[in-house]
Amino acid sequence: MEEFKEQLKQFWNIPISLKAFYFLLFLTLGDTIVFYLLPVINSFGLSNSADRIISILWIVGIYFCLSLIFKSIRLIDIVAYLAICSFYYLSPTIYPESRIFVDSTFLSFALNKLPFYFLALIINFQRDKNALTIISKLQLVMTAIFVMLSLFRLVGNSASRENMASSYAVLFPTMYMFYIYSRTQSKKDILFFLLGVFLILIFGARGPLLCLIIFLLVFLFHNYKHNTVVSINILIFICTFYIFLRPIMIVLMFLTKMVGLSTRIFESFLDEQLFNYERSSGRNEIHELLWNYIINDQGGIGYGLGSDRLFGRTGTEYAHNIAYEIWMDFGLYIGSFLLFLLALLFIFSLKKAYRSDEYYLLFILFVFSIIREFLSGSYLQDFQFYFFIGFCVNILRSHDISELEINEEYCYIVSSDNNIDTTIKTT
């Protein structure tokens, strides 16, 4: 309790622009709060205005965060934003068949997806590490409580069905809490991580679970020398879990089914479908169909934005794979070049951040966005993709950020792993 009071006191002392930034991060990474706001909004008879009210929260946060935003962005960022939006809107002049998709998604892309690039430019991981920890913990706890409320029918949404969106929503907090645990080796932190794993399992989506497994394997391989105790403990747990995996899965599936939650993950494992591409909810069939269009692209420039939906099996089903999606949109050659540029951006950012804490946040965001895009996402509809690109650019400009921190009227106090970061005026 005393620790919480101290954190609250330190948060109160930071500038309002930084408070607003943390509020925006909370809306981004702690989005389960929306499920708590909706019943309140509905109780006032404003259900038809729910989206507008939530938008107002974003506008207020952006308004008070403007000073940080202006210090972080450059003219080239604004020019790039306008150029991308212009291309998106005007692309049907080149690809007439994409007109319906572009008209129906342009505002969402321009206002709700692409701007997350700017939000990621503001992040200073040394300054914001503890804020991200608190946000991650809140997201996991809020989601767990909401699941329990759903089970008791105290809220309208049911947690019994597969919920890919909710599963991905707890993916970042789960990975981040494992990173924090590797630093603090605190029992509280590992409990938050295990809570995240449990939530991913009960939501029943395979993509987030595969993302988490990839993260853990790479993280442990990269850190076994520096976090020997953590690595050994985790490996012992994994080995023990694997030995008794089948009976554990049967018991978990039975308990999960009893409380009305999704058992899809457990059924996939027991039927040996969890890692089987040939039985991946039809994705192999989608990719075979799209690949046929890609290699028979007569114009060589693709079919336009959203064309994977247009030429898919149902007219709305997207590629579930960023490579196929970009190849359909821009053609094999232009699309491969864009994917190559994305790979270069990640490699250079990784090299720049190597041996720093930003390295781990970059890797977490890579799994949270790019790996997700290869399994379940769409780069035209997921904010995570642009958030990741923004953080890559942020890292490549990190030398400018260091100079900014020294010259500002605010002095950033970077904490140890056990103390919250704070900011005080130097004047």
Side-chain angles (χ1 to χ4, degrees):
M1 191 63 181
E2 291 300 324
E3 181 182 355
F4 175 75
K5 289 181 179 178
E6 182 63 24
Q7 290 178 347
L8 191 61
K9 179 181 178 182
Q10 292 177 341
F11 177 78
W12 185 259
N13 291 329
I14 66 178
I16 190 170
S17 59
L18 197 55
K19 288 190 183 82
F21 173 58
Y22 291 154
F23 174 69
L24 294 176
L25 280 181
F26 178 66
L27 292 178
T28 301
L29 301 173
D31 62 353
T32 303
I33 188 65
V34 173
F35 294 122
Y36 292 94
L37 292 176
L38 290 178
V40 178
I41 294 172
N42 294 338
S43 66
F44 286 97
L46 299 172
S47 57
N48 293 331
S49 302
D51 290 341
R52 295 178 184 175
I53 293 172
I54 293 171
S55 296
I56 289 172
L57 294 177
W58 276 97
I59 292 171
V60 170
I62 291 171
Y63 174 78
F64 286 104
C65 189
L66 281 177
S67 61
L68 277 179
I69 294 174
F70 289 144
K71 291 170 185 174
S72 302
I73 65 175
R74 297 178 179 179
L75 179 60
I76 186 63
D77 299 319
I78 299 174
V79 171
Y81 172 79
L82 294 175
I84 293 172
C85 288
S86 298
F87 172 79
Y88 197 103
Y89 185 75
L90 298 174
S91 63
T93 59
I94 306 173
Y95 309 99
E97 292 178 320
S98 67
R99 170 68 64 185
I100 295 176
F101 175 83
V102 169
D103 289 346
S104 63
T105 60
F106 172 72
L107 285 179
S108 175
F109 174 81
L111 300 179
N112 298 330
K113 303 299 184 294
L114 190 55
F116 281 91
Y117 167 85
F118 298 106
L119 188 66
L121 292 177
I122 305 173
I123 295 176
N124 180 326
F125 191 47
Q126 293 302 321
R127 178 195 67 199
D128 304 330
K129 183 186 298 183
N130 284 333
L132 287 170
T133 303
I134 294 171
I135 291 170
S136 296
K137 290 179 178 179
L138 286 173
Q139 171 72 343
L140 292 170
V141 171
M142 288 188 304
T143 304
I145 294 175
F146 188 80
V147 168
M148 292 186 352
L149 293 175
S150 298
L151 295 178
F152 290 107
R153 303 296 188 267
L154 296 176
V155 293
N157 292 41
S158 173
S160 61
R161 60 184 177 84
E162 177 191 348
N163 197 327
M164 182 181 293
S166 295
S167 189
Y168 274 115
V170 296
L171 177 61
F172 175 88
T174 303
M175 293 188 294
Y176 188 79
M177 289 312 303
F178 183 80
Y179 160 74
I180 293 298
Y181 167 70
S182 72
R183 293 294 181 266
T184 64
Q185 298 186 28
S186 166
K187 293 181 179 179
K188 293 181 181 178
D189 293 333
I190 194 63
L191 287 177
F192 278 104
F193 165 71
L194 293 176
L195 174 62
V197 174
F198 175 72
L199 290 171
I200 288 174
L201 288 174
I202 65 174
F203 282 131
R206 290 184 293 181
L209 180 61
L210 292 176
C211 287
L212 180 62
I213 291 172
I214 291 171
F215 166 75
L216 290 175
L217 290 176
V218 176
F219 187 93
L220 290 174
F221 177 78
H222 188 268
N223 287 273
Y224 74 95
K225 290 183 179 179
H226 307 290
N227 290 281
T228 307
V229 175
V230 173
S231 299
I232 290 176
N233 288 338
I234 293 295
L235 288 174
I236 291 174
F237 172 79
I238 292 174
C239 291
T240 305
F241 188 78
Y242 180 78
I243 293 172
F244 300 99
L245 188 54
R246 194 170 187 85
I248 289 174
M249 285 293 181
I250 293 174
V251 172
L252 288 176
M253 184 174 70
F254 176 74
L255 294 175
T256 303
K257 191 173 183 178
M258 281 183 61
V259 296
L261 294 172
S262 173
T263 60
R264 183 170 179 264
I265 286 290
F266 311 114
E267 292 168 354
S268 296
F269 171 81
L270 294 173
D271 294 338
E272 298 182 353
Q273 297 182 34
L274 188 59
F275 303 102
N276 191 338
Y277 176 74
E278 297 299 325
R279 304 175 71 179
S280 55
S281 301
R283 282 171 173 76
N284 57 318
E285 297 174 6
I286 297 172
H287 298 161
E288 288 175 5
L289 177 63
L290 295 180
W291 181 248
N292 186 55
Y293 282 106
I294 291 167
I295 61 176
N296 290 289
D297 176 17
Q298 298 298 321
I301 59 171
Y303 302 95
L305 299 176
S307 57
D308 56 320
R309 284 85 163 165
L310 180 64
F311 294 100
R313 297 181 302 178
T314 64
T316 58
E317 196 173 47
Y318 62 97
H320 294 274
N321 186 296
I322 188 174
Y324 283 91
E325 190 175 5
I326 290 180
W327 285 333
M328 283 293 295
D329 291 350
F330 300 104
L332 189 60
Y333 299 109
I334 298 176
S336 297
F337 178 70
L338 293 174
L339 290 170
F340 175 71
L341 291 180
L342 179 63
L344 283 183
L345 177 66
F346 175 60
I347 290 170
F348 284 128
S349 302
L350 208 62
K351 183 178 178 181
K352 179 72 179 292
Y354 190 64
R355 298 186 183 279
S356 70
D357 286 340
E358 285 79 4
Y359 177 89
Y360 297 101
L361 181 58
L362 177 65
F363 178 60
I364 290 172
L365 290 177
F366 174 76
V367 175
F368 185 52
S369 59
I370 304 302
I371 299 298
R372 167 198 172 105
E373 299 303 311
F374 277 101
L375 297 174
S376 309
S378 167
Y379 81 98
L380 295 176
Q381 296 181 329
D382 293 333
F383 77 86
Q384 295 91 340
F385 180 75
Y386 304 100
F387 194 79
F388 167 76
I389 292 177
F391 190 65
C392 287
V393 174
N394 185 339
I395 287 176
L396 294 176
R397 296 176 181 174
S398 59
H399 63 286
D400 295 330
I401 294 174
S402 298
E403 293 173 2
L404 178 66
E405 290 179 353
I406 294 172
N407 295 320
E408 282 300 308
E409 63 172 331
Y410 295 106
C411 173
Y412 295 109
I413 300 176
V414 181
S415 72
S416 65
D417 288 334
N418 297 322
N419 297 309
I420 191 168
D421 302 334
T422 188
T423 311
I424 60 173
K425 281 190 175 182
T426 58
T427 58

